[in-house]
Amino acid sequence: MQETPIVRAEGLKKTFTLSEKQRKIEKTSQKRKVAVDGLSFSAYPGEIYGLLGPNGAGKTTTLRILSTLIKPDEGDAFVGGCSVLKEGEKVRDKIGFMTSELKLEGFFTPSYLFDFFGAMHGVDKATLAQRKRELFARFGIDRFQEVKVSDLSTGMLQKVSLVVAIVHDPEVVIFDEPTNGLDVLTAKVVTDFLLELKSMGKSILLSTHIFSLVEKLCDRVGVIIDGRMAAEGTLEELCEGKPLEDKFFEIYEGIKGETV
C-alpha cells in the first residue's frame, strides 16, 4: 500500500439547521444538528474503503463533502492532493459519485445521458463511444439505451446511474449505499463491478450499513457514529476475531451507553 492517501479528510465538521418537520422526525427540540463532527480519515490508492454506520451517522454528508456537493463548516478534504474547498473543479475531474438519490430526468434515454455527461466532463467523442459500447454491454444497458429513463426498472436505472458516474474513467469512485434498494441480482452486478474497478487500480470509497457488503468488499473500514470516527482499520484489526456485526454493536454500545 502506498503511503500517500488518495483521499484524506481532516477535521470535517458540518452542521445543519433542522426544520420543524425534521425536528419532529428526529424527536428533538434542537434547531441545529451536527451531522459530521471533527471527522478525519485516509483512503489509499487501489483499495476499497468503507464508511460503516447507522442511518444518520454522517456517512452521506461526508461523501457529499468529498464530492464537493456541500462545503464543510470546518476542516478540509483532499482527493488526489486537491482541496475540496479550493480546487473543486479538479476534484470533480478525479471522482465519480453515485448515490441512490441521484435523479435522472425521465424524458431522456441512457444513450443521451451518457453522451451528455461525457461531454460535460470533456471526454472526446471517440473515447466516449468506446466507453459507451463497453459499459453498456457490461451492464446489459445496450438493449435499453434508447428507452426513456422513466420506463426503466429500478435495477436498470441503478446501472445507468453507475455508468454515468464513471463516464470519464475517474481515479476515485465514491458510492453512497451502492446496493440500496437493489434486488439480489443487480446488487451482485454492482458489487462484482466494484471489485473489477479495484483490480483495475481504481480507488473506491463507499458508505453502507450492511455488514456483509463490508466483509465482501472492503480492505479497510471506518465506523462512524454521531458524525465521529469510532473505530478504524482492516477487518482483522477492527474485529479482533469477532464477527463484524458483533464488533460493531460492541463499539456502538460503548459510545451510546445503550444496549441494541
Side-chain angles (χ1 to χ4, degrees):
M1 182 181 295
Q2 299 181 28
E3 293 183 357
T4 303
I6 187 72
V7 176
R8 187 173 85 253
E10 296 183 348
L12 296 179
K13 185 170 184 177
K14 184 66 179 179
T15 303
F16 294 103
T17 299
L18 297 177
S19 66
E20 185 176 344
K21 181 179 180 180
Q22 288 171 322
R23 293 200 297 273
K24 288 181 180 178
I25 293 173
E26 297 267 348
K27 296 180 179 179
T28 180
S29 60
Q30 300 294 319
K31 293 186 178 181
R32 295 185 67 79
K33 177 182 179 179
V34 180
V36 178
D37 192 4
L39 188 68
S40 299
F41 66 91
S42 295
Y44 294 88
E47 76 171 358
I48 299 179
Y49 184 98
L51 292 175
L52 175 66
N55 291 337
K59 306 186 302 296
T60 295
T61 299
T62 300
L63 295 191
R64 286 178 174 173
I65 290 172
L66 293 174
S67 303
T68 74
L69 295 178
I70 58 176
K71 291 186 177 181
D73 300 329
E74 297 177 13
D76 199 353
F78 302 85
V79 179
C82 298
S83 163
V84 299
L85 284 176
K86 300 176 182 178
E87 302 169 283
E89 187 172 341
K90 290 182 180 180
V91 170
R92 288 188 288 275
D93 285 340
K94 295 176 181 292
I95 66 168
F97 178 60
M98 181 178 169
T99 172
S100 59
E101 296 180 3
L102 178 64
K103 305 300 182 186
L104 298 175
E105 176 56 56
F107 178 79
F108 296 119
T109 65
S111 180
Y112 175 86
L113 288 168
F114 191 86
D115 290 347
F116 174 81
F117 282 100
M120 190 170 68
H121 281 288
V123 182
D124 67 81
K125 290 184 178 180
T127 301
L128 189 62
Q130 181 180 347
R131 283 189 63 74
K132 181 192 284 188
R133 285 194 299 270
E134 292 174 351
L135 290 171
F136 277 30
R138 172 69 174 76
F139 287 98
I141 301 172
D142 42 3
R143 293 172 294 160
F144 302 91
Q145 60 182 327
E146 299 302 337
V147 177
K148 289 182 179 180
V149 164
S150 58
D151 294 327
L152 296 177
S153 67
T154 300
M156 185 55 63
L157 186 58
Q158 187 81 331
K159 293 176 184 179
V160 173
S161 299
L162 171 59
V163 299
V164 164
I166 60 173
V167 61
H168 55 307
D169 195 22
E171 297 175 46
V172 180
V173 182
I174 300 176
F175 285 101
D176 187 18
E177 301 283 359
T179 60
N180 192 36
L182 299 183
D183 63 74
V184 292
L185 296 178
T186 305
K188 187 177 189 309
V189 170
V190 172
T191 55
D192 285 351
F193 189 61
L194 290 177
L195 291 171
E196 188 176 319
L197 286 172
K198 177 189 171 182
S199 72
M200 294 164 58
K202 303 297 183 183
S203 306
I204 300 162
L205 183 63
L206 61 86
S207 72
T208 186
H209 60 276
I210 302 173
F211 301 112
S212 60
L213 188 67
V214 172
E215 291 171 326
K216 179 178 180 179
L217 295 179
C218 296
D219 299 295
R220 291 192 306 124
V221 59
V223 176
I224 297 184
I225 297 173
D226 292 337
R228 301 187 183 111
M229 187 64 73
E232 186 183 27
T234 64
L235 284 173
E236 185 177 282
E237 292 168 344
L238 192 67
C239 294
E240 301 175 320
K242 300 176 182 179
L244 177 60
E245 183 174 356
D246 292 348
K247 186 61 181 179
F248 172 83
F249 286 117
E250 179 183 305
I251 295 169
Y252 184 87
E253 291 164 13
I255 291 176
K256 303 289 282 187
E258 56 189 60
T259 301
V260 180

